[in-house]
Amino acid sequence: MSDSKSLRSRISQHVRDIPRSGIRDFFDIVSSRDDVISLGIGEPDFVTPWHIREAAMLALERGATSYTSNMGLLALRRGIARYVEKKTGIAYNPEDEILITVGVSEALDLAVRALMEPGDEVLYHEPCYVSYNPLIIFARGTPVAVETKMENGFRLTRAELEEKVTPQTRILMLNYPNNPTGATLARADVEEIAAFAIAHDLIVITDEIYDDLTYDRDHFSIVSLPGMKERTIYLHGFSKAWAMTGFRMGYACAPPELIEAMMKIHQYTMLCAPILSQEASIEALRYAERDIAEMKAEYKRRRNFIHASFQEMGLPCLRPEGAFYAFADVSRYGLTSKEFALKLLDEQNVAVVPGTAFGACGEGFIRCSYATALDEIKEAMPRIARFIEKL
Amino acid sequence: MNELLSLLKQNARETPENMAKELGISVEEVKSKIAEYEASGVIRAYQAVVNEEKLDHSLVTTVIEVKVIPESEGGFDRIAERIGRFPEVESVYLMSGTFDLLLFTKGQTMHEAAGFVSAKLATMPNVTSTATHFMLKAYKRNGIIMQSGGEHERLKISP
Ligand SMILES: Cc1ncc(COP(=O)(O)O)c(C=O)c1O
């Protein structure tokens, strides 16, 4: 029983089946080196705005060290209701249609677990955020990936969805603006997807964590369309636009029956989100627009810079319209994504994430995050140019 | 503020090529706009922000509050300009509140700074009183933190 082999045999088969994350492998390699310029970071390089940090300190001074209600502080849920209504036009009742979670990460897990029967199929698009596929498997569902392609701007189309849908399909997961591709959807695209979801009676889990970070047009949420509030779990959080990843704050908005189901799991597995983070988030919502506008202007300059640099080098890359990632096509160099990333790290000390970390169809791509200071991006670009010149 | 100006305020030594890429405009456009700003006096100068504490012989900065009697013609402008002509004066501002002009001056020693106040400033005809403060330490200057203790670092790779 004591040797590691027999311990391994005690681990649940479906957990064993999930491979180690490609990001973690790469993290170990990068961490062992000094002086790396990293374009591999999926969180803002900004520190949380000072007034938000101060609100957290003030809450601590006042002795806010307790649990909150399972749903989260009502004042925060009210603020979120106002904020979400302003963005989507959809009014959620703060009493029973909003649940505060520990990041969008927890909200994703709750949503999938609350809905899933063993063997149910979940449609999601790849390349996508690393947790979608494993979460579905942990919930004993069957993940069904729909590949999105660069020539389509990594948009999800109805035709591709229709190819993959079956009578067992229950859920459609969406993430636009997208990590890792930077793709966004136009209203017409969203309408097509909504019609598909209604036609096949699917619940939509939409992860709109990057919705404030779009650079050319405003984000349009699927929940805004008629008939969608009833079948949508809308997820958002404070990590990205407010640079609050470490606060671990997210939320779900959905009809009361679904929120109640998610809350059941949340109350026994998490109890509640940390109170200090909730207090800080109340403050974050008060001055939302100013904070976000400043950071967004800086991301946009970086987006412009990185995309112009790739064009100059002749690296094909969708012009990212949202989030803070550029997903460049390096397939012409005859290396796998991982080989390319390792060699780039080795020769030029620049870290990027191999596209395969975000699904098999990410092969041939690298993800370059521009949540990194411009000075570093300006140093990294000529290094990448030198690197590919020699390939 | 204009985006090009805010880039220059962050780093005046940035190349026009890089700024063009950031702003999504042409290099020519960047150059001609900068030339316009320089010609029209929007941009007055490009200077280094120096952390004086790192120098062996740092200069003494003095902040001086000055009360003056405004002139019937020209108000505060002429006297403020006259004060600004002293080379030791770095900045002159007209203020609301209990005094009129705020000066920042630089000198080699405290002695020298005190000498400027008593010999040159206090003797000017319209100056009625002065209050002199010596700056002890600069924590932030021109939006730049001068010294900070170990900033937190992010993970080098994350999803
Ligand atoms: C698309 C997407 N969803 C969810 C998350 C997780 O965010 P949180 O910090 O709210 O758990 C991330 C973080 O990178 C993300 O990119």
Side-chain angles (χ1 to χ4, degrees):
Chain A
M1 209 0 247
S2 60
D3 66 290
S4 69
K5 190 161 171 236
S6 62
L7 269 185
R8 257 201 304 278
S9 74
R10 302 294 288 269
I11 293 168
S12 169
Q13 187 65 45
H14 75 291
V15 174
R16 251 187 293 169
D17 285 348
I18 291 177
R20 215 178 111 94
S21 126
I23 294 248
R24 262 182 73 195
D25 279 344
F26 211 65
F27 173 77
D28 291 344
I29 299 167
V30 173
S31 299
S32 65
R33 301 175 63 109
D34 293 326
D35 301 325
V36 173
I37 297 184
S38 183
L39 304 180
I41 306 180
E43 63 174 329
D45 57 313
F46 299 106
V47 180
T48 306
W50 176 250
H51 68 100
I52 301 175
R53 284 186 274 161
E54 206 173 33
M57 290 188 277
L58 194 67
L60 189 57
E61 281 172 14
R62 284 202 322 260
T65 57
S66 61
Y67 294 133
T68 70
S69 96
N70 298 126
M71 297 281 272
L73 295 172
L74 187 58
L76 175 57
R77 284 182 277 144
R78 286 200 178 116
I80 288 169
R82 278 193 296 275
Y83 185 67
V84 173
E85 182 171 4
K86 201 166 154 199
K87 294 203 284 200
T88 65
I90 300 298
Y92 285 100
N93 182 350
E95 302 280 348
D96 60 2
E97 294 188 316
I98 298 175
L99 173 67
I100 310 295
T101 59
V102 178
V104 171
S105 300
E106 192 211 354
L108 281 163
D109 180 41
L110 295 177
V112 171
R113 277 203 280 166
L115 297 173
M116 196 75 70
E117 292 291 348
D120 281 355
E121 291 178 6
V122 180
L123 283 176
Y124 67 103
H125 49 96
E126 274 187 348
C128 72
Y129 185 53
V130 294
S131 78
Y132 293 4
N133 170 294
L135 285 183
I136 298 163
I137 293 173
F138 290 146
R140 309 296 174 112
T142 306
V144 179
V146 181
E147 288 184 15
T148 59
K149 300 183 188 69
M150 186 162 85
E151 58 266 32
N152 275 340
F154 294 109
R155 286 172 311 127
L156 187 57
T157 63
R158 177 151 187 184
E160 288 161 327
L161 285 165
E162 292 288 359
E163 265 173 41
K164 295 287 176 97
V165 71
T166 77
Q168 280 70 53
T169 310
R170 293 277 176 275
I171 301 174
L172 169 64
M173 294 176 78
L174 285 180
N175 169 230
Y176 289 96
N178 180 257
N179 176 6
T181 62
T184 62
L185 296 181
R187 182 179 175 134
D189 303 319
V190 181
E191 281 169 349
E192 234 184 64
I193 296 168
F196 167 82
I198 292 171
H200 295 277
D201 194 20
L202 307 180
I203 301 275
V204 174
I205 300 175
T206 182
D207 172 352
E208 304 193 8
I209 190 166
Y210 293 103
D211 77 341
D212 299 292
L213 301 177
T214 59
Y215 309 110
D216 303 307
R217 59 177 169 199
D218 280 344
H219 172 72
F220 181 78
S221 174
I222 194 165
V223 78
S224 305
L225 291 171
M228 288 311 293
K229 184 189 176 188
E230 295 80 346
R231 59 175 67 251
T232 300
I233 301 180
Y234 172 94
L235 306 181
H236 204 309
F238 293 88
S239 285
K240 308 295 175 175
W242 284 271
M244 290 176 67
T245 45
F247 285 86
R248 311 300 309 119
M249 283 300 292
Y251 51 91
C253 305
E257 300 79 5
L258 298 184
I259 289 294
E260 177 62 22
M262 290 169 68
M263 209 278 281
K264 246 188 207 168
I265 306 174
H266 172 77
Q267 73 182 338
Y268 296 128
T269 53
M270 198 62 70
L271 212 165
C272 67
I275 187 168
L276 290 178
S277 301
Q278 294 192 52
E279 292 281 1
S281 302
I282 292 174
E283 172 71 18
L285 285 173
R286 279 196 194 126
Y287 297 99
E289 281 164 28
R290 198 185 49 198
D291 293 334
I292 292 173
E294 278 173 19
M295 291 190 263
K296 190 167 139 175
E298 174 70 20
Y299 288 133
K300 181 174 180 174
R301 288 199 284 268
R302 299 173 184 176
R303 187 280 305 261
N304 292 347
F305 188 87
I306 230 171
H307 186 251
S309 303
F310 283 162
Q311 279 191 313
E312 228 171 55
M313 296 174 213
L315 261 194
C317 177
L318 173 78
R319 179 176 158 93
E321 296 189 327
F324 36 58
Y325 310 102
F327 207 55
D329 178 356
V330 296
S331 56
R332 65 169 71 178
Y333 301 106
L335 300 172
T336 65
S337 300
K338 193 164 176 195
E339 286 164 352
F340 184 97
L342 286 173
K343 208 165 146 71
L344 174 62
L345 181 65
D346 195 46
E347 292 183 10
Q348 297 289 342
N349 247 351
V350 173
V352 296
V353 179
T356 42
F358 310 97
C361 68
E363 184 55 87
F365 290 86
I366 52 167
R367 187 193 74 174
C368 301
S369 161
Y370 49 92
T372 293
L374 254 175
D375 285 348
E376 294 195 31
I377 295 173
K378 284 173 187 166
E379 175 65 36
M381 290 298 118
R383 291 195 196 184
I384 294 178
R386 281 197 294 277
F387 174 72
I388 59 178
E389 237 163 61
K390 283 196 290 173
L391 283 179
Chain B
M1 194 198 309
N2 172 303
E3 261 199 308
L4 177 58
L5 281 180
S6 74
L7 290 191
L8 287 168
K9 284 189 75 169
Q10 278 171 37
N11 177 9
R13 299 184 63 190
E14 186 52 277
T15 62
E17 286 74 17
N18 276 348
M19 287 188 285
K21 275 188 198 163
E22 283 173 53
L23 300 175
I25 57 181
S26 70
V27 178
E28 295 322 309
E29 210 173 326
V30 169
K31 286 183 178 165
S32 74
K33 275 193 174 165
I34 292 177
E36 253 172 60
Y37 289 138
E38 289 172 350
S40 65
V42 170
I43 293 176
R44 297 290 295 118
Y46 302 94
Q47 298 181 325
V49 179
V50 175
N51 186 357
E52 306 244 352
E53 283 201 15
K54 298 261 179 199
L55 302 177
D56 291 341
H57 299 286
S58 64
L59 297 176
V60 177
T61 300
T62 316
V63 184
I64 309 166
E65 302 167 3
V66 189
K67 285 189 190 168
V68 299
I69 302 167
E71 296 171 330
S72 53
E73 256 171 70
F76 293 104
D77 290 352
R78 219 164 61 111
I79 178 111
E81 273 168 35
R82 274 184 69 199
I83 291 176
R85 291 194 190 282
F86 288 109
E88 44 277 76
V89 175
E90 288 221 316
S91 329
V92 184
Y93 304 100
L94 178 64
M95 310 295 290
S96 68
T98 54
F99 58 92
D100 304 305
L101 298 177
L102 185 67
L103 319 185
F104 286 72
T105 73
K106 279 249 152 66
Q108 295 294 338
T109 61
M110 261 196 222
H111 226 80
E112 191 183 301
F116 166 73
V117 175
S118 58
K120 295 178 181 158
L121 189 62
T123 56
M124 290 177 79
N126 292 37
V127 170
T128 57
S129 76
T130 63
T132 303
H133 311 270
F134 290 103
M135 190 180 286
L136 302 182
K137 184 170 178 176
Y139 293 92
K140 191 175 181 184
R141 172 171 286 154
N142 293 30
I144 292 160
I145 307 254
M146 288 289 111
Q147 49 259 312
S148 66
E151 298 292 330
H152 173 77
E153 259 191 54
R154 295 180 297 164
L155 300 176
K156 282 184 188 154
I157 296 282
S158 59

